[in-house]
Amino acid sequence: MNNHKFIVRKAAVLGAGVMGAQIAAHLINANVETLLFELPAEQDNPNANVIKAVENLKKQDPAPLSISAKAAFIQPSNYGQNLELLRDCDIVIEAIAERMDWKSELYKKVAPYLGEHSVFASNTSGLSINQLAKAFPENLRHRFCGIHFFNPPRYMHLAELIPCTESDAAMLDDLEAFLVTYLGKGVIRAKDTPNFIANRIGVFSMLATMHHAREFGLAFDVVDALTGPLIGRPKSATFRTADVVGLDILAHVIDTMRDTLPHDPWHRYFAVPVWLQGLIETGALGQKTRRGIYQKKGKEIHVLDLASKEYILSGGTADDDIRELLKYKNPADKLAALRLNPHPQAQFLWAIFRDLFHYCAIHLDAIADNARDLDFAIRWGFGWNLGPFEIWQAAGWGEVAEWINEDIAAGKSMSDIPLPRWVRDLGQGLSQAANQDIQGVHRAQGSYAPSTNTFRPRSALPVYRRQLFPERLLNEEPHYGHTIFETDAVRMWHTAAEPGDNGAGDDGVAILSFKSKMHTIGSDVLDGVQQAIEEAERNWRALVIWQTEPPFSAGANLQKATERLKSGEPPSALSVLAKKLRKTAQSAVLKAARSLNLADALMAGKLAEVEAMVAQFQQTSQDLRYSMIPTVAAVDGLALGGGCEFVMHCDRAVATLESYIGLVETGVGLVPAGSGCKELALRASQDAKDGDPFPLLKNYFQSVATAQLAKSGEQAKELGYLRRADTIVMNRFELLHVAKAQALALAEAGYRPPLKARNINVAGSTGIANIKGMLVNMREGNFISEHDYLIGSKLAHVMCGGELTPGSVVDENWFLELERTAFIELLATEKTQARVAHTLKTGKPLRN
C-alpha cells in the first residue's frame, strides 16, 4: 500500500438495502463511478432487486441523491453474473445485514475477484472488525477495515473508521483523506469495540433515558419534549429518534451490546424493553412502517401509552418551571438547579446527564483514543450541540464529578463503579505543565487520552490543512485572521501569517464576512460590500465572501421580529433534516417576508426610500460582477433572495453540496429586484440556441414564480442559480480553502472583468403572452389567485424584457429598470402589503 497512490476511480457497494443503496447514492453524489450489488432476482432481469432499490432512492425524503438524474449513474449488478467487475474497483464497501455469518460467507465469495490494490470495508454498525477479518483472506487483511456511515449517509457528517489488527496504516490515512474531502465526512478513528464510539455512547444514553423515564413515570412524548432542543439535542429527541432509526435496528444494537459486553458494569440495562419487543413483533418498526412509538393519524400525532397499550393523542410537554430552569445560560447553574429541584422532570434530566457522564468516563479509554473523538462522534452521529464531555466541562468539571460520586455512594447511579482517578486529576490540574485555569478533558494543547495520560492534539494528516477553520470544541475561540476594516455590519479580513501586513497578505485574497443576523443584507451591509470591493481593487488580488457560520445569507435585512428566528444550522439528525427539507419552500417564503424590512416604509408611504434601497442593491450586485478583481461567493446553507443574487453576480461560486439557494420573493407577493431577474435573462440570452432565449427563460420563470429552492448545490445548477463552471464542495470545512484557490486561479490567469452586456436578446411580447397563457389556465383552474396572476404577469414582463418585439436587443440597465418598477408597483398593492404583514405576524404565507 505504501508504494501505491490511492485513487478512487470506481467503487462498489455490496448490498442494496437501505444503507447500501444510500451509500451508493452518496458516492454518485461525489461523482465516483459506482456499482451496486445484490442477490440475483428471480425475475427475467437478474438486476431487478437493484433497479428497484435505485428507483426508491428517487422517492425518498430527504433525498439521498443531490439530483434525481444521478440515479442513472448507479450501475446495477448481481453476485451471480458481475463479480468480475469488482477487479476494476478501488474500494468495495460491504453493507449487507448485520449477520456475522452472512458477511463471512460473502467475503469468501468476493475476495477472489478483488483488484490488486482494492480496499475492502464493512459498513457494520457494531460487529467486531477483527472477527470479520477472519473470514477475509489473510494475505488481503492489510486492505480490510470498517467504515461505519451514519444514516442517511448524504447528510450525516460522521464516518467511523475502524481498523483490524492487520490494517495498513497508510491505507487508513488514504481512506480518511478520501472520506473527508470527497465524501464530506468528519472521520473518527474508532477502536474495535462493540458498536464502536457513537452507537455505544448514544444507545447507552437512550437506554438510560428509557430506564429513568420508567423510574420517574414519564410518558414517551414528555421525555421527547425534555430531551430535544431544550437540552441541545435534535427535535427528534429520544423516542422519535428510535422511530426514525427503526425499532428493529435499535433492538439489534442493544442485543449486540448485551451479547458482546458481558462484563460491562451496566450490562443488566442492556435489554430490549418488553414494550419495544412487542412493537417489533407486531411489525411496528417506526417511521419506515408508519407506526412505532408514534403513529400519525390524519394530521394528528399519536403516541403509545404504556398503561393502556393503545395510541393516544400526543400532547406531552415539559413543565413550565423546568423550561425556565433550562434557559439558564450558565451550564453550572443549570445542572445544579436540576439536581436540587425535586420535580420528577428535573430529577429525570439530572439522572440521564449523571449516568451519561459516568458511563463515558469509565469507558473512554477502552472505546476511543481521546475525549475529542468521543464528543465529535456524538455531535456528528446524533446531532447534539455539545458532546458529553463538553457538557460536563462547561458545567464545572470538578464540582460535577463530586456530585456524581455522591450519587454513586448514595446508590442513585445505575452503577456503583467509582469514577476513574484521572477524572479527579483533571479537576485539579494534570501536572505543572497543564493549564491550571482549565479543568476537564479539553485544553489548548489537545484533548485527554487516558491510555497515555496526555492531551492529544488534532490529526496532522495533510487533508486537514484544507480545513482553515475546522469544527470547534467547547471554549475553542477561532482566530479569523487579521482585520482590514470592520463596521457594525461587515468585517473584511485576511489570513496573513503576520498582523500588520497590509499588502497582499499570505496569498492576496481578502475575505468579507457579514455580521448581521442570519447574514442578511441591508443598506449597512451593502455599504460594507461596496467598501470591500474598493479596498480589494486597491490592495488585494481577489475578494471572497464567506460567512464564519452558515447560512450564507437569508436575503435582505431582517426586521427586529426576526430575532425570534433561529439561525439555519446545517442539518444533522435525520428527523430534523427531513422536516427542514419538507418545509423548505414555506420557510423560505417566511424568511423572505421577514427580511424585507419594509413595513415601516410601507406604513409611512415612503416608496421612494424603498426604491432607493433597491437601486443600491442592484448597484452592489453589479459592482460584484464588474470589479477589477475576481469575486468568489463561498456558499454554505441558505442563500435566499438577495443572498442568491449576490451569489449569481460573483465571478465564481463555490458551494457546499448542502447549499439551499433560490429567489423566493414571489412567496410574499414581490419579484426579485437585486439584479436576479436581469441575470437570468442574460444567461438565457447567452445560452440560447438559435438566438431564442424563451425555452430557457420559461424554465427560469417557473423556478422564480414558484419560489423554488434548490435542495442541493447540484440542483442549484439545474435551476440556473449556479453556473456549470461553479464548484461543489462536499466538506463544508474545506469551503474557504477551495474558494480562495478559485479566486487565486482567476487572479493568476490575468483577471479582467467581463464586458458589460449590451446585447441581451429578449423574449419580448411573445414570451409574455406565452407565460400569461399558462397563468390564465392556472387561474381559471383555481390553482392560483387573481393576485398570483398579477405577480406572475409582472415577473414575466420583467424576465421577457417588456413589451418589445421578440429578438430585440437591450442592455442590463433596461432590465434593472424593469425590476425596480415591478417591485415598487407590487409593493404598492394592498394585497402584497397584506401578504407581507400576514407573514410577519403569523409566520405563514397568505394566499389572497
Side-chain angles (χ1 to χ4, degrees):
M1 292 296 297
N2 288 327
N3 298 321
H4 175 69
K5 185 178 180 180
F6 185 66
I7 299 174
V8 179
R9 290 186 174 88
K10 185 182 291 187
V13 178
L14 309 182
V18 173
M19 280 301 292
Q22 292 200 51
I23 292 169
H26 196 53
L27 287 163
I28 287 292
N29 288 339
N31 290 334
V32 177
E33 187 177 349
T34 302
L35 292 76
L36 181 58
F37 278 79
E38 190 48 89
L39 293 169
E42 296 180 359
Q43 298 96 317
D44 292 338
N45 187 345
N47 289 326
N49 292 332
V50 177
I51 293 171
K52 181 179 179 180
V54 173
E55 285 301 309
N56 285 337
L57 290 173
K58 302 177 186 178
K59 305 172 185 176
Q60 294 176 30
D61 182 20
L65 293 157
S66 58
I67 51 174
S68 60
K70 282 202 166 184
F73 292 93
I74 299 175
Q75 183 175 343
S77 308
N78 68 83
Y79 303 121
Q81 299 173 312
N82 305 124
L83 288 179
E84 282 288 345
L85 299 177
L86 293 176
R87 298 191 191 280
D88 295 329
C89 294
D90 301 289
I91 183 168
V92 178
I93 301 172
E94 169 269 306
I96 68 170
E98 292 286 84
R99 286 272 301 267
M100 184 74 72
D101 54 342
W102 291 358
K103 291 178 185 289
S104 298
E105 182 180 348
L106 179 62
Y107 295 178
K108 293 173 184 176
K109 177 184 291 186
V110 304
Y113 297 92
L114 297 178
E116 181 181 357
H117 299 292
S118 298
V119 170
F120 192 92
S122 174
N123 181 57
T124 178
S125 61
L127 296 180
S128 170
I129 298 300
N130 280 298
Q131 189 67 27
L132 288 170
K134 291 180 180 179
F136 211 63
E138 188 173 355
N139 65 318
L140 300 181
R141 289 178 192 167
H142 63 288
R143 293 191 264 139
F144 179 78
C145 66
I147 302 176
H148 178 209
F149 293 93
F150 275 66
N151 188 24
R154 170 183 162 183
Y155 301 99
M156 299 302 287
H157 191 56
L158 177 64
E160 291 176 313
L161 184 59
I162 314 101
C164 69
T165 303
E166 295 94 338
S167 294
D168 182 84
M171 178 269 289
L172 294 171
D173 290 348
D174 288 340
L175 265 184
E176 184 164 349
F178 171 74
L179 291 167
V180 168
T181 292
Y182 295 97
L183 297 188
K185 297 304 170 189
V187 175
I188 297 296
R189 298 279 185 106
K191 297 183 179 181
D192 186 25
T193 54
N195 292 338
F196 313 128
I197 301 174
N199 275 345
R200 178 75 172 273
I201 300 301
V203 173
F204 170 80
S205 178
M206 294 179 76
L207 287 170
T209 300
M210 292 177 187
H211 169 75
H212 290 300
R214 184 173 64 252
E215 178 185 10
F216 291 102
L218 302 181
F220 293 137
D221 52 353
V222 172
V223 170
D224 279 353
L226 290 166
T227 59
L230 286 178
I231 60 171
R233 300 181 188 178
K235 291 181 181 178
S236 56
T238 302
F239 294 109
R240 288 185 188 276
T241 294
D243 270 354
V244 170
V245 169
L247 301 186
D248 54 335
I249 301 299
L250 175 61
H252 170 77
V253 176
I254 294 171
D255 286 342
T256 299
M257 294 176 71
R258 181 198 63 210
D259 296 341
T260 58
L261 296 167
H263 303 298
D264 191 297
W266 284 263
H267 183 266
R268 66 184 180 276
Y269 299 102
F270 300 164
V272 178
V274 173
W275 59 264
L276 178 56
Q277 188 61 47
L279 287 173
I280 294 171
E281 290 172 357
T282 62
L285 306 181
Q287 184 171 282
K288 58 189 173 185
T289 60
R290 299 185 180 181
R291 185 167 67 94
I293 298 169
Y294 291 90
Q295 182 178 22
K296 191 172 184 180
K297 297 182 178 181
K299 295 184 178 181
E300 295 179 339
I301 303 297
H302 289 67
V303 63
L304 182 67
D305 175 58
L306 284 182
S308 65
K309 297 183 180 179
E310 300 289 339
Y311 288 92
I312 62 174
L313 187 64
S314 176
T317 60
D319 182 84
D320 289 342
D321 289 341
I322 304 304
R323 283 181 174 273
E324 290 302 312
L325 185 157
L326 292 172
K327 292 179 182 178
Y328 291 178
K329 292 185 178 181
N330 187 315
D333 294 341
K334 187 182 303 183
L335 273 189
L338 287 173
R339 180 170 178 263
L340 296 175
N341 192 309
H343 194 288
Q345 292 185 10
Q347 287 299 296
F348 160 78
L349 287 172
W350 161 246
I352 65 172
F353 278 121
R354 176 200 63 215
D355 290 333
L356 174 64
F357 298 158
H358 191 185
Y359 192 82
C360 290
I362 293 295
H363 291 295
L364 173 61
D365 190 26
I367 68 173
D369 177 74
N370 60 75
R372 176 180 54 251
D373 286 353
L374 188 149
D375 277 345
F376 278 160
I378 293 299
R379 282 167 56 174
W380 294 341
F382 282 80
W384 295 13
N385 292 347
L386 295 174
F389 287 126
E390 291 179 289
I391 299 169
W392 182 351
Q393 184 166 324
W397 185 267
E399 188 171 24
V400 172
E402 290 181 7
W403 296 343
I404 296 172
N405 280 326
E406 289 174 8
D407 280 9
I408 293 172
K412 295 180 180 180
S413 179
M414 292 168 66
S415 172
D416 59 1
I417 301 296
L419 289 172
R421 181 173 178 175
W422 61 262
V423 171
R424 183 196 66 189
D425 291 341
L426 293 187
Q428 300 173 347
L430 184 65
S431 68
Q432 293 301 316
N435 186 340
Q436 301 292 321
D437 296 327
I438 298 178
Q439 294 185 355
V441 291
H442 301 305
R443 302 188 182 179
Q445 62 267 48
S447 294
Y448 186 67
S451 61
T452 58
N453 199 34
T454 59
F455 289 89
R456 291 279 176 84
R458 291 174 182 258
S459 171
L461 286 178
V463 67
Y464 292 109
R465 297 173 195 160
R466 298 168 58 86
Q467 298 188 12
L468 305 183
F469 301 97
E471 184 84 89
R472 301 193 302 273
L473 286 165
L474 176 75
N475 295 329
E476 282 187 333
E477 294 297 331
H479 175 62
Y480 291 113
H482 308 289
T483 300
I484 300 169
F485 78 81
E486 185 168 10
T487 70
D488 290 340
V490 303
R491 177 175 179 255
M492 187 180 186
W493 53 285
H494 65 88
T495 57
E498 296 296 332
D501 178 5
N502 59 2
D506 60 339
D507 52 20
V509 177
I511 303 162
L512 184 68
S513 301
F514 302 167
K515 296 166 63 177
S516 52
K517 183 74 171 180
M518 294 187 73
H519 306 131
T520 50
I521 306 164
S523 294
D524 52 355
V525 172
L526 294 173
D527 289 340
V529 175
Q530 291 174 333
Q531 183 180 345
I533 293 170
E534 293 173 3
E535 165 64 25
E537 287 180 330
R538 287 194 301 268
N539 296 314
W540 300 86
R541 303 183 67 195
L543 177 66
V544 171
I545 301 177
W546 175 80
Q547 315 299 1
T548 57
E549 297 289 343
F552 177 79
S553 175
N557 188 30
L558 297 169
Q559 292 185 337
K560 291 183 179 179
T562 57
E563 294 298 325
R564 298 193 302 270
L565 286 176
K566 295 181 179 178
S567 60
E569 72 280 0
S572 52
L574 170 62
S575 58
V576 176
L577 179 65
K579 187 172 182 180
K580 280 186 177 180
L581 293 184
R582 285 195 298 270
K583 294 188 175 181
T584 292
Q586 180 174 324
S587 175
V589 169
L590 169 61
K591 290 184 175 70
R594 291 184 180 273
S595 68
L596 293 171
N597 199 27
L598 301 172
D600 292 341
L602 283 174
M603 295 302 105
K606 299 179 180 178
L607 291 180
E609 292 183 13
V610 175
E611 186 171 8
M613 186 183 76
V614 173
Q616 183 189 16
F617 212 129
Q618 291 179 332
Q619 184 59 53
T620 307
S621 294
Q622 293 293 90
D623 289 347
L624 286 170
R625 165 60 48 81
Y626 295 114
S627 67
M628 296 306 296
I629 43 88
T631 57
V632 175
V635 186
D636 184 31
L638 295 172
L640 305 179
C644 175
E645 288 169 312
F646 273 9
V647 172
M648 295 170 70
H649 282 81
C650 287
D651 294 297
R652 287 288 185 277
V654 178
T656 62
L657 187 70
E658 302 313 322
S659 292
Y660 308 103
I661 305 172
L663 299 174
V664 297
E665 288 85 347
T666 58
V668 287
L670 294 164
V671 297
S675 298
C677 293
K678 177 272 300 180
E679 185 62 20
L680 290 174
L682 174 60
R683 293 180 185 185
S685 174
Q686 291 175 336
D687 298 338
K689 294 181 179 179
D690 302 322
D692 182 9
F694 185 73
L696 290 173
L697 203 62
K698 180 176 68 173
N699 293 333
Y700 293 154
F701 170 84
Q702 290 175 341
S703 296
V704 178
T706 57
Q708 187 173 1
L709 199 66
K711 294 184 180 179
S712 71
E714 290 285 359
Q715 191 182 20
K717 289 188 176 184
E718 284 191 334
L719 297 179
Y721 300 132
L722 295 182
R723 294 153 295 202
R724 292 298 168 187
D726 291 334
T727 301
I728 305 299
V729 173
M730 300 298 286
N731 195 316
R732 62 179 294 260
F733 295 105
E734 296 184 350
L735 177 62
L736 181 57
H737 168 83
V738 177
K740 291 181 70 177
Q742 291 279 320
L744 283 172
L746 290 170
E748 286 291 329
Y751 175 82
R752 292 289 300 178
L755 297 174
K756 292 187 177 181
R758 304 182 188 279
N759 56 347
I760 306 173
N761 289 328
V762 302
S765 57
T766 302
I768 295 171
N770 284 332
I771 292 176
K772 281 188 174 181
M774 294 187 297
L775 293 173
V776 167
N777 291 334
M778 295 178 70
R779 182 185 60 189
E780 292 181 352
N782 292 321
F783 294 107
I784 62 174
S785 69
E786 191 67 37
H787 195 57
D788 291 325
Y789 174 81
L790 175 64
I791 298 163
S793 298
K794 293 287 187 184
L795 180 63
H797 183 82
V798 174
M799 295 185 70
C800 292
E803 295 286 352
L804 299 176
T805 303
S808 297
V809 175
V810 300
D811 63 8
E812 291 178 282
N813 288 331
W814 176 267
F815 278 97
L816 297 180
E817 177 66 28
L818 291 176
E819 280 186 358
R820 290 196 303 273
T821 301
F823 186 90
I824 295 302
E825 287 176 351
L826 285 170
L827 194 57
T829 65
E830 291 184 3
K831 288 191 175 182
T832 284
Q833 292 179 28
R835 288 192 179 193
V836 173
H838 177 84
T839 307
L840 288 170
K841 181 178 179 180
T842 68
K844 297 178 182 179
L846 173 66
R847 298 272 69 84
N848 59 357

